[in-house]
DNA sequence: AGCCCCAACTGGCTTGAGCCACTTACTGGC
DNA sequence: GCCAGTAAGTGGCTCAAGCCAGTTGGGGCT
């Protein structure tokens, strides 16, 4: 009960986790290697298997290790990030005729794949309606839901929202939107992308997201709510990106105004 | 064993978690309210207390609920975000004489506090050395470590790295850096901030970060590796921001170039 | 040689029990 | 009226045991 220091004895599970963390940090158990089995840890630390198990769970929650049923618990290898840069909207890239994602993938030597899940007229979520400047009580938008893959690994889930009055009857309602993708078609409609506004947050995935993205425990997602503004600073497109955070990062390079 | 659908019976803990998630989503248990006790859940679902407990843990891991020792488990209230905008470096804000964080806090009606933990000459981490353009094998930088609070709630941890050859003997080595903070002093040295590059990722906190930021289980952190470039596009400052993701978001608004 | 099956290992999940620490509300004494 | 003490309720943590479900490798059969 000496308040000068906190020798408050840690729970056994945390002590075991701490020791394993040390071994991993010090390279005694290198990345990709297997931890001792739960039963072995229990014996080594003189604890019940459940307690050793709890320790492993703590490490998994932090994203340090990952368990393979029937095989063992492995130290997770640091992943190199698939990077999404703020220049992905750049005019300069238009000449390639590729959509932003395909361009980024190609740049990083990955094979891109995009699954179009559905394209439907909908009533927009509140935050989207606000940003797109449409009413939220009616079917004022078209919602395009896509899944993105790099080398067949799921990378992000994207929901794109467009004004129904603009998209109606155009290629924007089709899976294949033609040259330069939806931004090409929106330009045809007179919207030149002049500014973008990205609102970024992070959170743990919902069970559905975890399933889609094949997320292991302890991996959060990055959520980007993106708004495109045209030459009149009018918003004409809103997208919600959900990235797996263990394999993706964001890069923003911008002038100080 | 019918492969047409996945009726693979869920583990009991997951079924219970699913049901609780539904009750929360449908508003049967509103935000801020208490869940049934672990013992009550166990009885209701005909499971052992440990199983009910596991279900609650799943929800906590996802950041949906939070347990208060001795009181109960509560549905977490959605937090409004303390927002960090890309215009926080803007020249326009210079006239206020406030540092970026103080300005943001004031804008959002919060009381800012900054604790300067230490200011020391150090050998830089590899990623910092790369971006700042200094050697990583020697004590080539000054490291300023700060903790930021809004209304006395910890908000972010910031490590700022400056070139030792520039900072040596200046106010940059002092806790109080004068008007406009370190950016003011760096301007005195001839570095006008012209562009910034922010690299953003998300991950689960280390135990130390969780302690500092008072993070509940299931809350990730946002990490921003920030580089300031001057009028010659030379990097002159690198900072690593670690934000708690449940109360902070990032806003980037930029021109499409 | 090739294949199959089974034993032995791994983690996944649950049970029921017990003790501890923290919180709250009530109750009784002053 | 106030306050201290206490009982009852909560989550925190651990134990010992058991069964299930993937994985792996070796032994034996064909």
């Amino acid at each position: 009960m000496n308040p000068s220091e906190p020798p408050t004895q840690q729970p056994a599970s945390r002590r075991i986790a701490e020791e394993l963390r040390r071994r991993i940090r010090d390279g005694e158990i290198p990345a990709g290697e297997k931890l001792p089995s739960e039963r072995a840890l229990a014996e080594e630390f003189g604890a019940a298997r459940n307690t050793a198990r709890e320790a492993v769970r703590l490490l998994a929650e932090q994203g340090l290790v990952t368990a393979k049923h029937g095989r063992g618990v492995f130290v997770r290898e640091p992943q190199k990030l698939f990077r999404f840069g703020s220049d992905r909207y750049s005019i300069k890239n238009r000449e390639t005729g590729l959509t932003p994602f395909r361009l980024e993938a190609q740049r990083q030597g990955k094979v891109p794949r995009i699954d179009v899940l559905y394209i439907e007229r909908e009533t927009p979520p509140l935050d989207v309606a606000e940003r797109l400047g449409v009413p939220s009580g009616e079917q004022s938008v078209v919602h395009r839901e896509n899944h993105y893959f790099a080398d067949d690994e799921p990378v992000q889930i994207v929901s794109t929202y467009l004004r129904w009055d603009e998209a109606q009857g155009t290629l924007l309602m089709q899976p294949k939107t033609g040259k330069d993708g939806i931004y090409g078609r929106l330009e045809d409609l007179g919207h030149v992308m002049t500014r973008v506004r990205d609102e970024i947050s992070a959170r743990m995935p919902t069970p559905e997201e975890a399933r889609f993205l094949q997320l292991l425990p302890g991996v959060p997602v990055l959520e980007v709510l993106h708004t495109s503004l045209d030459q009149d600073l009018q918003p004409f497109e809103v997208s919600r990106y959900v990235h797996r955070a263990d394999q993706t990062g964001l890069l923003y390079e911008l002038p100080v105004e």
Side-chain angles (χ1 to χ4, degrees), chain A:
Chain A
M1 307 309 170
N2 183 348
S4 67
E5 48 173 317
T8 317
Q9 91 173 332
Q10 297 259 345
S13 54
R14 246 196 286 268
R15 282 194 312 101
I16 298 174
E18 218 53 68
E19 167 62 13
L20 290 175
R21 219 191 307 272
R22 189 196 62 72
R23 288 187 198 172
I24 293 169
R25 181 170 35 80
D26 294 355
E28 290 177 27
I29 311 176
E33 276 312 289
K34 195 161 67 167
L35 260 58
S37 77
E38 295 175 349
R39 289 163 177 91
L41 286 174
E43 190 176 4
E44 175 183 350
F45 290 94
R49 185 187 156 206
N50 271 348
T51 304
R53 185 173 171 72
E54 169 72 7
V56 172
R57 205 190 52 72
L58 288 171
L59 297 182
E61 198 173 74
Q62 201 202 320
L64 250 175
V65 302
T66 179
K68 308 285 181 69
H69 191 174
R71 305 216 287 131
V73 177
F74 299 82
V75 179
R76 205 176 282 184
E77 316 240 12
Q79 299 280 343
K80 59 172 180 304
L81 297 186
F82 186 95
R83 218 194 271 173
F84 292 87
S86 56
D87 63 344
R88 66 180 176 278
Y89 304 111
S90 183
I91 305 279
K92 295 175 305 212
N93 298 328
R94 278 305 169 76
E95 56 201 27
T96 64
L98 293 173
T99 56
F101 178 75
R102 291 186 192 283
L103 181 66
E104 292 265 353
Q106 184 179 298
R107 241 187 233 175
Q108 295 171 54
K110 306 248 186 186
V111 179
R113 196 181 92 221
I114 304 178
D115 288 358
V116 179
L117 293 200
Y118 57 80
I119 303 172
E120 278 168 18
R121 184 178 183 184
E122 279 182 7
T123 62
L126 203 59
D127 53 355
V128 171
E130 272 177 16
R131 284 159 184 77
L132 194 51
V134 296
S136 62
E138 49 187 273
Q139 295 200 319
S140 56
V141 296
V142 173
H143 176 190
R144 300 176 63 102
E145 179 92 2
N146 298 335
H147 285 180
Y148 287 66
F149 301 80
D151 285 349
D152 282 326
E153 295 257 320
V155 170
Q156 59 173 355
I157 302 170
V158 181
S159 295
T160 296
Y161 298 88
L162 305 169
R163 302 180 64 101
W164 165 249
D165 54 13
E166 292 188 334
Q168 186 178 8
T170 72
L171 278 179
L172 293 170
M173 297 298 294
Q174 302 301 322
K176 292 190 176 290
T177 48
K179 182 169 184 305
D180 295 334
I182 62 168
Y183 292 127
R185 297 299 71 68
L186 287 162
E187 221 162 82
D188 297 345
L189 289 169
H191 296 300
V192 178
M193 196 192 300
T194 304
R195 296 183 74 84
V196 297
R197 186 189 298 138
D198 283 6
E199 295 165 77
I200 301 164
S201 53
R203 56 177 172 77
M204 295 313 283
T206 65
E208 291 75 36
E209 290 167 342
R211 192 156 31 82
F212 276 134
L213 295 174
Q214 299 173 19
L215 290 184
L216 302 167
V219 178
V221 293
L222 274 166
E223 180 172 324
V224 180
L225 191 58
H226 163 88
T227 307
S228 294
L229 306 175
D230 68 11
Q231 65 282 359
D232 303 320
L233 297 187
Q234 290 303 307
F236 63 94
E237 177 247 338
V238 172
S239 295
R240 190 192 312 278
Y241 296 76
V242 178
H243 301 267
R244 52 184 306 171
D246 61 338
Q247 290 185 11
T248 62
L250 306 172
L251 170 64
Y252 286 84
E253 184 170 340
L254 59 151
V256 174
E257 295 175 326

